[in-house]
Coordinates of all heavy atoms in Angstrom, one line a residue:
R50 N 12.2 11.5 7.5 CA 12.0 12.0 6.1 C 13.3 12.0 5.4 O 14.2 12.6 5.8 CB 11.4 13.4 6.2 CG 10.9 13.9 4.8 CD 10.3 15.2 4.8 NE 11.3 16.3 4.8 CZ 11.1 17.5 4.4 NH1 9.9 17.9 3.9 NH2 12.0 18.5 4.5
L51 N 13.2 11.3 4.3 CA 14.4 11.2 3.4 C 14.2 12.3 2.3 O 13.1 12.6 1.8 CB 14.5 9.9 2.7 CG 14.6 8.7 3.6 CD1 14.8 7.4 2.8 CD2 15.7 8.8 4.7
S52 N 15.3 12.9 1.9 CA 15.3 13.9 0.8 C 16.2 13.4 -0.3 O 17.2 12.7 0.0 CB 15.8 15.2 1.3 OG 15.0 15.7 2.3
C53 N 15.9 13.8 -1.5 CA 16.8 13.5 -2.7 C 16.8 14.7 -3.6 O 15.9 15.0 -4.2 CB 16.2 12.3 -3.4 SG 17.1 11.9 -5.0
A54 N 18.0 15.3 -3.6 CA 18.2 16.5 -4.4 C 18.7 16.1 -5.8 O 19.7 15.3 -5.9 CB 19.2 17.5 -3.7
A55 N 18.1 16.6 -6.8 CA 18.4 16.2 -8.2 C 19.0 17.4 -8.9 O 18.6 18.6 -8.7 CB 17.2 15.7 -8.9
S56 N 19.9 17.1 -9.8 CA 20.5 18.2 -10.6 C 21.0 17.6 -11.9 O 21.1 16.4 -12.1 CB 21.7 18.9 -9.9 OG 22.7 17.9 -9.7
G57 N 21.3 18.4 -12.9 CA 21.9 18.0 -14.1 C 21.0 18.0 -15.4 O 21.5 18.2 -16.5
R58 N 19.7 17.9 -15.2 CA 18.8 18.0 -16.4 C 17.4 18.4 -15.9 O 17.1 18.4 -14.7 CB 18.7 16.6 -17.0 CG 19.9 16.1 -17.7 CD 19.6 14.8 -18.5 NE 18.7 15.1 -19.6 CZ 18.4 14.2 -20.5 NH1 18.9 13.0 -20.5 NH2 17.5 14.5 -21.5
T59 N 16.6 18.7 -16.8 CA 15.2 19.0 -16.5 C 14.5 17.7 -16.2 O 14.8 16.6 -16.8 CB 14.4 19.8 -17.6 OG1 14.5 19.0 -18.8 CG2 15.1 21.1 -17.8
F60 N 13.5 17.7 -15.4 CA 12.9 16.5 -14.9 C 11.4 16.3 -15.3 O 10.8 15.4 -14.8 CB 13.0 16.4 -13.4 CG 14.4 16.8 -12.9 CD1 14.6 18.0 -12.3 CD2 15.4 15.9 -13.1 CE1 15.9 18.3 -11.9 CE2 16.7 16.3 -12.7 CZ 16.9 17.5 -12.1
S61 N 11.0 17.1 -16.2 CA 9.5 17.0 -16.5 C 9.1 15.7 -17.1 O 8.0 15.3 -16.9 CB 9.2 18.1 -17.5 OG 9.9 18.0 -18.7
S62 N 10.0 15.0 -17.7 CA 9.6 13.7 -18.3 C 10.0 12.5 -17.5 O 9.9 11.4 -17.8 CB 10.3 13.5 -19.7 OG 11.7 13.5 -19.6
Y63 N 10.5 12.8 -16.3 CA 11.0 11.8 -15.4 C 10.0 11.2 -14.4 O 9.1 11.9 -14.0 CB 12.2 12.3 -14.7 CG 13.5 12.2 -15.5 CD1 13.7 13.1 -16.5 CD2 14.5 11.3 -15.2 CE1 14.9 13.1 -17.3 CE2 15.6 11.2 -16.0 CZ 15.9 12.1 -17.0 OH 17.0 12.0 -17.7
T64 N 10.3 10.0 -14.0 CA 9.7 9.5 -12.8 C 10.8 9.4 -11.7 O 12.0 9.1 -12.0 CB 9.2 8.0 -13.0 OG1 8.2 8.1 -14.0 CG2 8.8 7.4 -11.8
M65 N 10.5 9.8 -10.5 CA 11.4 9.7 -9.4 C 11.0 8.6 -8.5 O 9.8 8.5 -8.2 CB 11.5 11.0 -8.7 CG 11.8 12.2 -9.5 SD 13.4 12.2 -10.3 CE 14.4 12.5 -8.9
G66 N 11.9 7.8 -8.0 CA 11.5 6.7 -7.2 C 12.4 6.5 -6.0 O 13.5 7.0 -5.9
W67 N 12.0 5.6 -5.1 CA 12.7 5.1 -4.0 C 12.7 3.6 -3.9 O 11.7 3.0 -4.1 CB 12.2 5.7 -2.6 CG 12.3 7.1 -2.4 CD1 11.4 8.1 -2.7 CD2 13.5 7.8 -1.8 NE1 12.0 9.3 -2.3 CE2 13.2 9.2 -1.8 CE3 14.7 7.3 -1.3 CZ2 14.1 10.1 -1.3 CZ3 15.6 8.2 -0.9 CH2 15.3 9.6 -0.8
F68 N 13.9 3.1 -3.7 CA 14.1 1.6 -3.5 C 14.8 1.4 -2.3 O 15.5 2.4 -1.7 CB 14.8 1.0 -4.7 CG 14.1 0.9 -6.0 CD1 13.8 2.1 -6.8 CD2 13.6 -0.3 -6.4 CE1 13.1 2.0 -7.9 CE2 12.8 -0.4 -7.6 CZ 12.6 0.8 -8.3
R69 N 14.8 0.2 -1.7 CA 15.6 -0.1 -0.5 C 16.2 -1.5 -0.7 O 15.6 -2.4 -1.4 CB 14.7 0.0 0.7 CG 13.6 -1.0 0.8 CD 12.7 -0.7 2.0 NE 11.7 -1.7 2.2 CZ 10.7 -1.6 3.1 NH1 10.7 -0.5 3.9 NH2 9.8 -2.5 3.3
Q70 N 17.2 -1.7 0.0 CA 17.9 -3.0 0.0 C 18.4 -3.3 1.4 O 19.2 -2.6 1.9 CB 19.0 -3.0 -1.0 CG 19.6 -4.4 -1.2 CD 20.4 -4.5 -2.5 OE1 20.9 -3.5 -3.0 NE2 20.6 -5.8 -3.0
A71 N 17.9 -4.4 2.0 CA 18.4 -4.9 3.2 C 19.5 -5.9 3.0 O 19.5 -6.6 1.9 CB 17.2 -5.5 4.0
P72 N 20.3 -6.2 4.0 CA 21.4 -7.2 3.8 C 20.9 -8.5 3.5 O 19.9 -9.0 4.1 CB 22.1 -7.2 5.2 CG 21.8 -5.9 5.8 CD 20.4 -5.5 5.3
G73 N 21.4 -9.1 2.4 CA 21.0 -10.4 2.0 C 19.7 -10.5 1.2 O 19.3 -11.6 0.9
K74 N 19.1 -9.3 0.9 CA 17.9 -9.3 0.2 C 18.0 -8.5 -1.1 O 18.9 -7.8 -1.3 CB 16.8 -8.7 1.1 CG 16.4 -9.5 2.3 CD 15.2 -8.9 3.0 CE 14.8 -9.8 4.2 NZ 13.6 -9.2 4.9
E75 N 17.1 -8.8 -2.0 CA 17.1 -8.1 -3.3 C 16.6 -6.6 -3.1 O 15.9 -6.3 -2.1 CB 16.2 -8.8 -4.3 CG 16.7 -10.1 -4.7 CD 15.8 -10.8 -5.8 OE1 14.8 -10.2 -6.1 OE2 16.2 -11.8 -6.3
R76 N 16.9 -5.8 -4.0 CA 16.4 -4.4 -4.0 C 14.9 -4.4 -4.2 O 14.4 -5.1 -5.1 CB 17.1 -3.6 -5.1 CG 16.9 -2.1 -5.0 CD 17.8 -1.3 -5.8 NE 19.2 -1.4 -5.3 CZ 20.2 -0.6 -5.7 NH1 20.0 0.3 -6.7 NH2 21.4 -0.8 -5.2
E77 N 14.3 -3.6 -3.3 CA 12.8 -3.6 -3.3 C 12.2 -2.2 -3.6 O 12.7 -1.2 -3.1 CB 12.3 -4.0 -1.9 CG 10.9 -3.9 -1.6 CD 10.5 -4.1 -0.2 OE1 11.4 -4.1 0.7 OE2 9.3 -4.3 0.1
F78 N 11.2 -2.2 -4.5 CA 10.5 -1.0 -4.8 C 9.8 -0.4 -3.6 O 9.1 -1.2 -2.9 CB 9.5 -1.2 -5.9 CG 8.6 -0.1 -6.2 CD1 9.0 1.1 -6.8 CD2 7.3 -0.1 -5.8 CE1 8.2 2.2 -7.0 CE2 6.4 0.9 -6.0 CZ 6.9 2.1 -6.6
V79 N 9.9 0.9 -3.3 CA 9.3 1.5 -2.2 C 8.2 2.4 -2.7 O 7.0 2.3 -2.2 CB 10.3 2.3 -1.3 CG1 9.6 3.0 -0.2 CG2 11.3 1.3 -0.7
A80 N 8.5 3.4 -3.5 CA 7.6 4.4 -3.9 C 8.1 5.1 -5.2 O 9.3 5.1 -5.4 CB 7.3 5.4 -2.8
A81 N 7.2 5.7 -5.9 CA 7.5 6.5 -7.1 C 6.6 7.6 -7.3 O 5.4 7.5 -6.9 CB 7.6 5.6 -8.4
I82 N 7.0 8.6 -8.0 CA 6.2 9.7 -8.4 C 6.6 10.3 -9.7 O 7.8 10.4 -10.0 CB 6.3 10.9 -7.3 CG1 5.3 12.0 -7.6 CG2 7.7 11.4 -7.2 CD1 5.1 12.9 -6.4
T83 N 5.6 10.6 -10.6 CA 5.9 11.2 -11.9 C 6.1 12.7 -11.6 O 5.3 13.3 -10.9 CB 4.8 11.0 -12.9 OG1 3.6 11.5 -12.4 CG2 4.7 9.5 -13.2
W84 N 7.2 13.2 -12.2 CA 7.6 14.5 -11.8 C 6.6 15.6 -12.2 O 6.3 16.5 -11.4 CB 9.0 14.8 -12.4 CG 9.6 16.1 -11.9 CD1 9.6 17.3 -12.5 CD2 10.2 16.3 -10.6 NE1 10.2 18.2 -11.6 CE2 10.6 17.6 -10.5 CE3 10.5 15.4 -9.6 CZ2 11.3 18.1 -9.4 CZ3 11.2 15.9 -8.5 CH2 11.6 17.2 -8.4
S85 N 6.1 15.5 -13.4 CA 5.2 16.5 -13.9 C 3.8 16.4 -13.3 O 3.2 17.4 -12.7 CB 5.1 16.5 -15.4 OG 4.7 15.3 -15.8
A86 N 3.2 15.2 -13.3 CA 1.8 15.1 -12.9 C 1.6 14.8 -11.4 O 0.5 15.0 -10.9 CB 1.1 14.0 -13.7
G87 N 2.7 14.3 -10.8 CA 2.6 13.9 -9.4 C 1.8 12.6 -9.1 O 1.4 12.4 -8.0
N88 N 1.7 11.8 -10.1 CA 1.0 10.5 -9.9 C 2.0 9.6 -9.0 O 3.2 9.6 -9.3 CB 0.7 9.8 -11.2 CG -0.2 10.6 -12.0 OD1 -1.2 11.1 -11.5 ND2 0.0 10.6 -13.3
T89 N 1.4 8.9 -8.1 CA 2.2 8.1 -7.1 C 1.9 6.6 -7.2 O 0.8 6.2 -7.6 CB 2.1 8.7 -5.7 OG1 0.7 8.6 -5.3 CG2 2.5 10.1 -5.6
D90 N 2.9 5.9 -6.7 CA 2.7 4.4 -6.6 C 3.5 4.0 -5.4 O 4.6 4.6 -5.1 CB 3.1 3.7 -7.8 CG 2.7 2.2 -7.8 OD1 1.8 1.8 -7.0 OD2 3.3 1.4 -8.6
Y91 N 3.0 3.0 -4.7 CA 3.7 2.5 -3.5 C 3.8 1.0 -3.4 O 2.9 0.3 -3.9 CB 3.0 3.0 -2.2 CG 2.9 4.5 -2.0 CD1 1.9 5.2 -2.5 CD2 4.0 5.1 -1.3 CE1 1.9 6.6 -2.4 CE2 4.0 6.5 -1.2 CZ 2.9 7.2 -1.7 OH 2.9 8.6 -1.5
G92 N 4.9 0.5 -2.9 CA 5.0 -0.9 -2.6 C 4.0 -1.3 -1.5 O 3.7 -0.5 -0.7
D93 N 3.6 -2.6 -1.6 CA 2.6 -3.0 -0.7 C 3.0 -2.9 0.8 O 2.2 -2.7 1.7 CB 2.2 -4.5 -1.0 CG 1.5 -4.6 -2.4 OD1 0.9 -3.6 -2.8 OD2 1.5 -5.7 -2.9
S94 N 4.3 -3.1 1.0 CA 4.7 -3.2 2.4 C 4.8 -1.8 3.1 O 4.9 -1.7 4.3 CB 6.1 -3.8 2.5 OG 7.1 -3.1 1.7
V95 N 4.7 -0.7 2.3 CA 4.8 0.6 2.9 C 3.5 1.4 2.6 O 3.4 2.6 3.2 CB 6.0 1.4 2.3 CG1 7.3 0.6 2.5 CG2 5.8 1.8 0.8
K96 N 2.6 0.9 1.9 CA 1.4 1.6 1.6 C 0.6 2.0 2.8 O 0.5 1.2 3.7 CB 0.5 0.8 0.7 CG -0.5 1.6 -0.1 CD -1.2 0.7 -1.1 CE -0.3 0.2 -2.2 NZ -0.9 -0.6 -3.3
G97 N 0.3 3.3 2.9 CA -0.4 3.8 4.1 C 0.5 4.3 5.2 O 0.0 5.0 6.1
R98 N 1.8 4.1 5.1 CA 2.7 4.5 6.1 C 3.7 5.5 5.5 O 4.2 6.4 6.2 CB 3.5 3.3 6.7 CG 2.7 2.3 7.4 CD 3.5 1.3 8.1 NE 4.3 0.5 7.2 CZ 5.6 0.4 7.2 NH1 6.3 1.1 8.2 NH2 6.3 -0.3 6.4
F99 N 4.1 5.4 4.2 CA 5.1 6.2 3.6 C 4.3 7.1 2.6 O 3.3 6.7 2.0 CB 6.1 5.4 2.8 CG 7.0 4.6 3.7 CD1 6.8 4.5 5.0 CD2 8.1 4.0 3.1 CE1 7.7 3.8 5.8 CE2 9.0 3.3 3.9 CZ 8.8 3.1 5.2
T100 N 4.9 8.3 2.4 CA 4.4 9.3 1.4 C 5.5 9.9 0.6 O 6.5 10.4 1.2 CB 3.6 10.4 2.1 OG1 2.5 9.8 2.9 CG2 3.0 11.3 1.1
I101 N 5.4 9.8 -0.7 CA 6.4 10.4 -1.6 C 5.8 11.7 -2.1 O 4.6 11.9 -2.4 CB 6.7 9.5 -2.8 CG1 7.9 10.0 -3.5 CG2 5.5 9.2 -3.7 CD1 8.5 9.0 -4.6
S102 N 6.7 12.7 -2.2 CA 6.3 14.0 -2.7 C 7.5 14.7 -3.4 O 8.6 14.2 -3.4 CB 5.8 14.9 -1.6 OG 6.8 15.1 -0.7
R103 N 7.2 15.8 -4.1 CA 8.3 16.5 -4.8 C 8.1 18.0 -4.7 O 7.0 18.5 -4.6 CB 8.6 16.1 -6.2 CG 7.6 16.7 -7.3 CD 6.4 15.9 -7.4 NE 5.6 16.3 -8.6 CZ 4.4 16.9 -8.5 NH1 4.0 17.3 -7.3 NH2 3.8 17.2 -9.6
D104 N 9.2 18.7 -4.7 CA 9.2 20.2 -4.7 C 9.9 20.7 -6.0 O 11.1 20.5 -6.1 CB 10.0 20.7 -3.4 CG 9.9 22.2 -3.2 OD1 10.0 22.9 -4.3 OD2 9.9 22.6 -2.1
F105 N 9.1 21.3 -6.8 CA 9.6 21.8 -8.1 C 10.7 22.8 -7.9 O 11.7 22.7 -8.6 CB 8.5 22.4 -8.9 CG 7.5 21.4 -9.5 CD1 6.2 21.4 -9.0 CD2 7.8 20.5 -10.4 CE1 5.3 20.5 -9.5 CE2 6.9 19.6 -10.9 CZ 5.6 19.6 -10.5
A106 N 10.5 23.7 -7.0 CA 11.4 24.8 -6.9 C 12.8 24.4 -6.4 O 13.8 24.9 -6.8 CB 10.9 25.9 -5.9
K107 N 12.8 23.3 -5.6 CA 14.1 22.8 -5.1 C 14.6 21.6 -5.8 O 15.7 21.1 -5.5 CB 13.9 22.4 -3.6 CG 13.5 23.6 -2.7 CD 13.4 23.2 -1.3 CE 13.0 24.3 -0.4 NZ 12.9 23.9 1.1
N108 N 13.9 21.1 -6.9 CA 14.3 19.9 -7.6 C 14.6 18.8 -6.6 O 15.6 18.1 -6.7 CB 15.5 20.2 -8.5 CG 15.2 20.9 -9.8 OD1 14.0 20.9 -10.2 ND2 16.1 21.4 -10.4
T109 N 13.7 18.6 -5.7 CA 13.9 17.6 -4.6 C 12.7 16.8 -4.4 O 11.6 17.3 -4.5 CB 14.3 18.4 -3.3 OG1 15.5 19.1 -3.5 CG2 14.5 17.4 -2.1
Q110 N 12.9 15.5 -4.2 CA 11.8 14.6 -3.8 C 12.0 14.2 -2.4 O 13.1 14.2 -1.9 CB 11.7 13.4 -4.8 CG 12.8 12.5 -4.7 CD 12.4 11.1 -5.2 OE1 11.3 10.7 -5.0 NE2 13.4 10.3 -5.7
Y111 N 10.9 13.8 -1.8 CA 10.9 13.4 -0.4 C 10.2 12.1 -0.2 O 9.3 11.7 -0.9 CB 10.2 14.5 0.5 CG 10.8 15.9 0.3 CD1 10.2 16.8 -0.5 CD2 11.9 16.3 1.1 CE1 10.8 18.0 -0.7 CE2 12.5 17.5 0.9 CZ 11.9 18.4 0.0 OH 12.4 19.7 -0.1
L112 N 10.7 11.4 0.9 CA 9.9 10.2 1.3 C 9.7 10.3 2.8 O 10.6 10.3 3.6 CB 10.7 8.9 1.0 CG 10.0 7.6 1.3 CD1 8.8 7.4 0.4 CD2 11.0 6.4 1.3
Q113 N 8.4 10.6 3.1 CA 8.1 10.7 4.5 C 7.7 9.3 5.0 O 6.8 8.7 4.4 CB 6.9 11.6 4.7 CG 6.3 11.8 6.1 CD 7.3 12.4 7.1 OE1 8.0 13.4 6.7 NE2 7.5 11.9 8.3
M114 N 8.4 8.8 6.0 CA 8.2 7.5 6.5 C 7.6 7.5 8.0 O 8.3 8.0 8.9 CB 9.5 6.7 6.5 CG 10.2 6.7 5.1 SD 11.6 5.7 5.0 CE 12.7 6.6 6.1
N115 N 6.4 7.1 8.1 CA 5.8 7.1 9.4 C 5.6 5.6 9.9 O 5.6 4.7 9.1 CB 4.5 7.8 9.4 CG 4.6 9.3 9.0 OD1 5.6 9.9 9.4 ND2 3.6 9.8 8.4
S116 N 5.3 5.5 11.2 CA 5.0 4.1 11.8 C 6.1 3.1 11.3 O 5.8 2.0 10.9 CB 3.6 3.7 11.3 OG 2.6 4.6 11.7
L117 N 7.3 3.5 11.5 CA 8.4 2.7 11.0 C 8.5 1.4 11.8 O 8.2 1.3 13.0 CB 9.7 3.4 11.1 CG 9.9 4.4 10.0 CD1 11.0 5.4 10.3 CD2 10.3 3.7 8.7
K118 N 8.9 0.3 11.1 CA 9.0 -1.0 11.7 C 10.5 -1.5 11.5 O 11.2 -1.1 10.6 CB 8.1 -2.0 11.0 CG 6.6 -1.6 10.9 CD 5.8 -2.5 10.1 CE 4.4 -2.1 10.0 NZ 3.6 -3.0 9.2
P119 N 10.9 -2.4 12.4 CA 12.3 -3.0 12.2 C 12.5 -3.5 10.8 O 13.6 -3.4 10.3 CB 12.3 -4.1 13.3 CG 11.4 -3.6 14.3 CD 10.2 -2.9 13.6
E120 N 11.5 -4.1 10.2 CA 11.7 -4.6 8.8 C 11.8 -3.5 7.8 O 12.1 -3.9 6.6 CB 10.5 -5.5 8.5 CG 9.1 -5.0 8.7 CD 8.5 -5.4 10.0 OE1 9.2 -5.4 11.0 OE2 7.3 -5.7 10.0
D121 N 11.7 -2.3 8.1 CA 12.0 -1.2 7.2 C 13.5 -0.9 7.2 O 13.9 0.0 6.4 CB 11.2 0.1 7.6 CG 9.7 -0.1 7.5 OD1 9.3 -0.7 6.4 OD2 9.0 0.4 8.4
T122 N 14.2 -1.5 8.0 CA 15.7 -1.3 8.1 C 16.3 -1.7 6.7 O 16.2 -2.8 6.3 CB 16.3 -2.0 9.2 OG1 15.8 -1.5 10.5 CG2 17.8 -1.9 9.2
A123 N 17.0 -0.7 6.1 CA 17.7 -1.0 4.8 C 18.4 0.2 4.4 O 18.3 1.3 5.0 CB 16.6 -1.3 3.8
V124 N 19.2 0.1 3.3 CA 19.7 1.3 2.6 C 18.7 1.7 1.6 O 18.2 0.9 0.8 CB 21.1 0.9 1.9 CG1 21.6 2.1 1.2 CG2 22.1 0.5 3.0
Y125 N 18.4 3.0 1.7 CA 17.4 3.5 0.8 C 18.0 4.3 -0.3 O 18.9 5.2 -0.1 CB 16.4 4.4 1.6 CG 15.4 3.7 2.4 CD1 15.8 3.0 3.5 CD2 14.1 3.6 2.0 CE1 14.9 2.2 4.3 CE2 13.1 2.9 2.8 CZ 13.6 2.2 3.9 OH 12.7 1.5 4.6
Y126 N 17.6 4.0 -1.6 CA 18.2 4.7 -2.7 C 17.1 5.5 -3.5 O 16.0 5.0 -3.7 CB 18.7 3.6 -3.7 CG 19.8 2.8 -3.2 CD1 19.6 1.6 -2.5 CD2 21.2 3.2 -3.3 CE1 20.6 0.8 -2.0 CE2 22.2 2.4 -2.8 CZ 21.9 1.2 -2.2 OH 22.9 0.5 -1.7
C127 N 17.5 6.7 -3.9 CA 16.8 7.5 -4.7 C 17.1 7.2 -6.2 O 18.3 6.9 -6.5 CB 17.1 9.0 -4.4 SG 16.5 10.2 -5.5
A128 N 16.1 7.3 -7.1 CA 16.4 7.0 -8.5 C 15.6 7.9 -9.4 O 14.5 8.3 -9.0 CB 16.0 5.5 -8.7
A129 N 16.1 8.1 -10.6 CA 15.4 8.8 -11.6 C 15.3 8.0 -12.9 O 16.3 7.4 -13.3 CB 16.0 10.2 -11.9
G130 N 14.2 8.0 -13.6 CA 14.1 7.2 -14.8 C 12.9 7.6 -15.6 O 12.3 8.7 -15.4
G131 N 12.5 6.6 -16.5 CA 11.3 6.9 -17.3 C 10.0 6.4 -16.8 O 9.9 6.4 -15.5

Side-chain angles (χ1 to χ4, degrees):
R50 189 178 79 157
L51 305 183
S52 300
C53 175
S56 62
R58 294 189 61 174
T59 58
F60 312 107
S61 59
S62 63
Y63 276 75
T64 295
M65 306 296 289
W67 289 95
F68 287 75
R69 67 186 183 186
Q70 189 164 20
K74 295 188 176 181
E75 294 186 353
R76 189 165 294 191
E77 176 189 13
F78 169 74
V79 175
I82 186 167
T83 56
W84 190 259
S85 56
N88 299 317
T89 59
D90 190 19
Y91 295 92
D93 292 340
S94 62
V95 307
K96 199 171 296 183
R98 299 187 298 122
F99 291 10
T100 302
I101 190 171
S102 62
R103 81 272 194 252
D104 184 322
F105 289 113
K107 296 181 179 180
N108 280 344
T109 299
Q110 66 155 331
Y111 303 97
L112 184 68
Q113 178 66 43
M114 306 185 294
N115 298 328
S116 301
L117 283 161
K118 305 174 181 180
E120 51 264 44
D121 294 318
T122 295
V124 176
Y125 283 70
Y126 296 92
C127 170

